[in-house]
């Protein structure tokens, strides 16, 4: 019998961080590239990709987001990131989150 100090962990039990690190290495992506691809493929489904460039007014964004059932801020952020609208446009459709610092007890 071979003795080992290393514990066997099957691949399907790997912590999520390990799986993400493996994906980054396997595809030669940076964390930013992974986040960008995830947001493009998950937050706004690819079937709606062609409609984004047509969204030039708040009313258009609101109608579009109600139809595909996502928050307008996600679409506005994507439009700004893709430089389809100016970064100063439609920011009132976005929501800012502020987290209160919690002291250790």
């Amino acid at each position: 019998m071979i003795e080992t100090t290393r514990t066997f962990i099957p691949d399907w039990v790997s912590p999520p961080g390990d799986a993400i690190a493996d994906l980054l290495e396997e595809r030669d992506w940076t964390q930013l590239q992974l986040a960008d691809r995830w947001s493009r493929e998950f937050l706004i489904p690819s079937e709606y990709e062609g409609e984004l460039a047509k969204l030039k007014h708040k009313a258009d964004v609101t109608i579009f987001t109600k139809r595909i059932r996502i928050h307008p801020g996600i679409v506005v952020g994507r439009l700004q990131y893709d430089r389809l609208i100016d970064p100063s446009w439609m920011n009132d459709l976005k929501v800012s989150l502020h987290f209160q610092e919690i002291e250790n007890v």
Side-chain angles (χ1 to χ4, degrees):
M1 178 177 201
I2 300 173
E3 287 188 34
T4 180
T5 57
R6 206 170 142 195
T7 306
F8 172 74
I9 300 174
D11 285 344
W12 51 270
V13 185
S14 295
D18 290 347
I20 292 169
D22 290 344
L23 180 66
L24 292 172
E25 184 178 328
E26 174 184 307
R27 301 204 178 161
D28 196 29
W29 290 348
T30 64
Q31 289 179 0
L32 182 60
Q33 289 170 318
L34 176 62
D36 182 51
R37 288 173 190 260
W38 180 82
S39 67
R40 285 183 181 281
E41 295 170 16
F42 180 75
L43 294 177
I44 302 174
S46 59
E47 65 214 52
Y48 301 109
E49 185 93 18
E51 297 181 53
L52 292 175
K54 300 174 188 171
L55 303 176
K56 300 293 182 189
H57 304 283
K58 289 180 189 178
D60 298 334
V61 170
T62 303
I63 291 166
F64 176 74
T65 58
K66 283 182 180 178
R67 183 166 51 88
I68 69 169
R69 302 180 66 152
I70 62 170
H71 193 277
I74 293 170
V75 173
V76 170
R78 172 73 178 275
L79 295 173
Q80 292 172 342
Y81 183 82
D82 288 348
R83 295 191 168 112
L84 295 171
I85 63 170
D86 190 271
S88 64
W89 290 4
M90 301 189 213
N91 284 326
D92 58 325
L93 295 178
K94 293 164 52 175
V95 174
S96 295
L97 300 176
H98 301 279
F99 296 94
Q100 195 172 17
E101 189 173 321
I102 299 174
E103 294 183 30
N104 291 336
V105 178

